[in-house]
Amino acid sequence: MAPLAALLPLLLLSNAAALAKPLEYHSFVATPLSPHPYTSPAATADEDAFAGSLAAAEDGASSAVHFPVVHRDAFEVNTTPGELLRHRLRRDKRRAARISRQATAGGYPAANGTRAPAGGGVAAPVVSGLAQGSGEYFTKIGVGTPATPALMVLDTGSDVVWLQCAPCRRCYDQSGPVFDPRRSTSYGAVDCAAPLCRRLDSGGCDLRRRACMYQVAYGDGSVTAGDFATETLTFQGGARVARVALGCGHDNEGLFVAAAGLLGLGRGSLSFPTQISRRYGRSFSYCLVDRTSSSSSSNQASSSRSSTVTFGPGAVGPGASASFTPMVRNPRMETFYYVQLVGISVGGARVPGVVESDLRLDPSTGRGGVIVDSGTSVTRLARPAYAALRDAFRGAAAGLRLSPGGFSLFDTCYDLGGRKVVKVPTVSMHFAGGAEASLPPENYLIPVDSRGTFCFAFAGTDGGVSIIGNIQQQGFRVVFDGDGQRVGFAPKGC
């Protein structure tokens, strides 16, 4: 019996191994960066078409409005994709550092047209900010009466809506005309004593004009300042929203490349979703285009695959199946959308080292936690969670050839040169309440050069807050249900 007893543990291990669930993999098409990744009509033609569509919208609310989608080819020359990526990651580093400083301090310092959603609300196409020289995403709207087309950054980490205004004391170069409030019949100044003015974190008063003034400074040194006013905004399909409080910036400088301004989508009282909540509710969603695509490309020709931001009852598109997780409130940082990330799977197996305690918000200090952010590109996880995820991915991707060294903030890169299709382990994010986001491989393995180097698009942080960035969000319809206090992820939502 002794030999049988000695063999029993080996038999049990063998059976366990046989019963173990095999790792799950995606087939990944390894397309390196191309020297000519974009195709686009001329910027002038786009601007003219957009202006014409807004004029039609003003003539009749039922008129369809088609917002052209533009990209960097229309504005920038002699810039390689590699240079664009490096610029994007530098900007991303600055933004993440700003958010981390706020978290550590425990508070916030002062295209193809698409039909309006079936459930009502307003919608507008979105274009990847990579094509504009930054890591954010942009939408085109109309400002004023008659409407001036404006390319606006979408930012869930900001509240104030603002844009550059003429006359400019100091303005950066933007795509399209600078909005001139003197030519708009719907522009209205905000009085210094008005409740709207008192809601500004950094407000002031021009005593001579009794005009409310605003200023917004960003962690990268960018700043915008000017008059605080109300104005009419025009959206897809002719929907018009009157008396939106916004900053009319006459003094602007920094890294706002190409965009006319910013549409603040945060949770604060002056954010755009909050301002339009009486008419459309507090729900909105977006589906972000691939970081190197535009809807003018052949693979985006179908309007059903266009990228949009939608406000109102139609925030979850028809047929979209979103899984929801509760929003988490941080009383010390009210702007951001916090969620509870409870785990991550690689190859279909939960990573033991990604533990909820490393990712949980401490409401008493405002530190920790996880935010969903449209303006950060790369997902950053608390250092222990990231190390566990990275090691699990490396282990599951042992068949891929590691590239020596890293690239910028990425420490795990692979040499896929000469290979067209490879098998890569799956990656899924798990949230409180049972919500799950199963990422397509292009959301976590991204090209960084034209030679076939691809990097694992996550990073670690010691900054006190983890961030789910827009590279990981692309292709999902991300729903911010302010009425239900929940965040949803609908795969293939574009």
Side-chain angles (χ1 to χ4, degrees):
M1 297 296 292
L4 182 59
L7 289 173
L8 188 58
L10 295 176
L11 291 171
L12 291 174
L13 286 173
S14 177
N15 289 336
L19 293 173
K21 182 182 177 182
L23 291 178
E24 299 172 358
Y25 289 84
H26 284 301
S27 292
F28 174 57
V29 179
T31 305
L33 289 181
S34 167
H36 303 290
Y38 310 119
T39 57
S40 174
T44 302
D46 282 347
E47 297 294 350
D48 291 345
F50 182 58
S53 69
L54 290 178
E58 292 173 28
D59 292 337
S62 61
S63 299
V65 180
H66 300 285
F67 287 56
V69 175
V70 294
H71 57 69
R72 189 176 184 110
D73 278 353
F75 312 105
E76 186 107 12
V77 293
N78 301 322
T79 304
T80 68
E83 290 171 335
L84 287 175
L85 179 61
R86 289 182 184 275
H87 174 80
R88 180 188 194 190
L89 294 177
R90 285 195 298 269
R91 183 178 176 93
D92 204 50
K93 182 178 180 179
R94 286 189 290 264
R95 180 182 178 89
R98 176 174 68 89
I99 294 174
S100 294
R101 284 195 299 271
Q102 294 167 8
T104 302
Y108 214 118
N112 284 332
T114 55
R115 293 182 295 274
V122 296
V126 182
V127 57
S128 170
L130 178 65
Q132 302 302 327
S134 72
E136 291 83 14
Y137 286 77
F138 297 68
T139 187
K140 268 198 171 180
I141 63 174
V143 181
T145 307
T148 297
L151 190 66
M152 304 285 280
V153 174
L154 297 176
D155 190 5
T156 57
S158 301
D159 288 326
V160 175
V161 180
W162 64 267
L163 78 162
Q164 295 199 117
C165 289
C168 277
R169 286 187 291 272
R170 182 169 47 181
C171 283
Y172 56 87
D173 291 336
Q174 70 171 59
S175 167
V178 174
F179 173 68
D180 189 341
R182 297 166 297 188
R183 298 181 179 179
S184 172
T185 59
S186 51
Y187 179 88
V190 172
D191 189 90
C192 295
L196 270 178
C197 192
R198 293 196 293 269
R199 285 156 63 180
L200 285 167
D201 288 332
S202 299
C205 180
D206 183 326
L207 295 177
R208 181 180 61 82
R209 297 183 295 134
R210 294 296 304 166
C212 182
M213 309 292 292
Y214 85 100
Q215 176 175 312
V216 179
Y218 296 92
D220 61 7
S222 302
V223 64
T224 175
D227 295 320
F228 200 54
T230 61
E231 186 53 286
T232 295
L233 303 184
T234 305
F235 289 85
Q236 181 79 26
R240 307 183 72 195
V241 183
R243 295 191 56 78
V244 174
L246 51 77
C248 197
H250 300 286
D251 195 342
N252 318 283
E253 62 177 334
L255 303 174
F256 301 119
V257 179
L262 184 143
L263 198 65
L265 302 181
R267 301 173 73 177
S269 63
L270 286 174
S271 75
F272 182 69
T274 300
Q275 290 197 58
I276 66 171
S277 60
R278 287 189 178 182
R279 179 173 175 182
Y280 293 110
R282 292 178 60 90
S283 297
F284 73 96
S285 68
Y286 54 64
C287 194
L288 305 179
V289 296
D290 181 88
R291 60 191 177 278
T292 56
S293 71
S294 81
S295 63
S296 60
S297 301
S298 60
N299 66 341
Q300 293 282 333
S302 169
S303 64
S304 64
R305 298 170 63 187
S306 297
S307 296
T308 61
V309 56
T310 302
F311 302 91
V316 180
S321 177
S323 60
F324 286 91
T325 185
M327 286 184 189
V328 178
R329 179 174 175 268
N330 184 348
R332 295 177 179 269
M333 293 179 71
E334 295 279 9
T335 294
F336 292 103
Y337 293 92
Y338 280 82
V339 294
Q340 182 60 56
L341 181 64
V342 298
I344 299 179
S345 295
V346 171
R350 292 287 278 263
V351 179
V354 179
V355 294
E356 189 175 350
S357 58
D358 287 332
L359 301 167
R360 185 182 296 119
L361 172 69
D362 182 349
S364 64
T365 64
R367 299 184 183 184
V370 179
I371 64 172
V372 180
D373 185 40
S374 66
T376 301
S377 294
V378 177
T379 290
R380 288 161 167 82
L381 299 174
R383 188 74 59 185
Y386 169 69
L389 170 63
R390 175 200 61 203
D391 294 346
F393 187 85
R394 284 182 177 180
L400 301 181
R401 185 167 60 249
L402 272 170
S403 179
F407 180 90
S408 184
L409 54 83
F410 302 131
D411 63 11
T412 299
C413 299
Y414 296 91
D415 180 3
L416 304 183
R419 304 182 66 177
K420 292 186 177 180
V421 180
V422 296
K423 295 289 186 182
V424 298
T426 61
V427 176
S428 297
M429 309 178 80
H430 306 281
F431 300 90
E436 179 178 338
S438 298
L439 305 180
E442 57 270 18
N443 285 28
Y444 55 86
L445 206 58
I446 66 170
V448 298
D449 59 30
S450 59
R451 299 186 301 273
T453 305
F454 288 74
C455 293
F456 188 53
F458 287 81
T461 180
D462 301 307
V465 61
S466 297
I467 306 170
I468 299 175
N470 58 47
I471 289 177
Q472 282 65 44
Q473 296 175 49
Q474 67 187 25
F476 287 87
R477 180 153 295 279
V478 184
V479 183
F480 299 86
D481 181 4
D483 296 315
Q485 288 296 292
R486 58 184 188 161
V487 175
F489 301 90
K492 300 179 181 178
C494 300

